[in-house]
Structure formats: structure tokens, C-alpha cells
Amino acid sequence: MAAKLKVNKELCIGCGACVTAFPDAFVFDNDGKGECVKEVANPDEVKSTCPVTAIAD
Ligand code: SF4
């Protein structure tokens, strides 16, 4: 099911993997952390791209 995901900014290290892999859904916020700005159709795949498991429902 499509869902907009949340990034735990405390955990995020700003590596950019989510932005690189899903550039239409993820951007960097003003602090250089990942931010989900659009619903994704494959939330499990998206979550698995984060090396510190900062992306969650
Ligand atoms: S992949 Fe994870 S650690 Fe890297 S920028 Fe995205 S949310 Fe942050």
C-alpha cells in the first residue's frame, strides 16, 4: 500500500541513500537529513535502503 514515510532525524546520518535511490520521494531537509515528501508504493524496499533504519511508517 502506498504510504508516506517518516525519517527519524535523530537516527539519520544524512548519507543520502534514500535521496539517491528515490529522488522523486526523498529530499534533504535544511539540516541535511532525509525527508519523505511523497507517498511511495514500495515502503519496505524504501526502508531497507537506509543504513541506520531511520525510515519508518
Ligand atoms: S538513507 Fe537513512 S540515513 Fe541516509 S539520508 Fe536517508 S534517512 Fe538519512
Side-chain angles (χ1 to χ4, degrees):
M1 193 173 77
K4 198 162 155 182
L5 301 173
K6 294 190 177 72
V7 172
N8 182 328
K9 304 298 173 94
E10 304 286 319
L11 293 177
C12 176
I13 57 172
C15 75
C18 56
V19 179
T20 299
F22 305 99
D24 54 337
F26 280 80
V27 298
F28 286 113
D29 70 10
N30 291 334
D31 297 320
K33 306 287 178 95
E35 172 123 0
C36 185
V37 293
K38 191 165 166 273
E39 287 189 349
V40 298
N42 49 346
D44 288 341
E45 183 188 347
V46 174
K47 283 187 266 185
S48 73
T49 65
C50 181
V52 294
T53 58
I55 304 173
D57 295 310

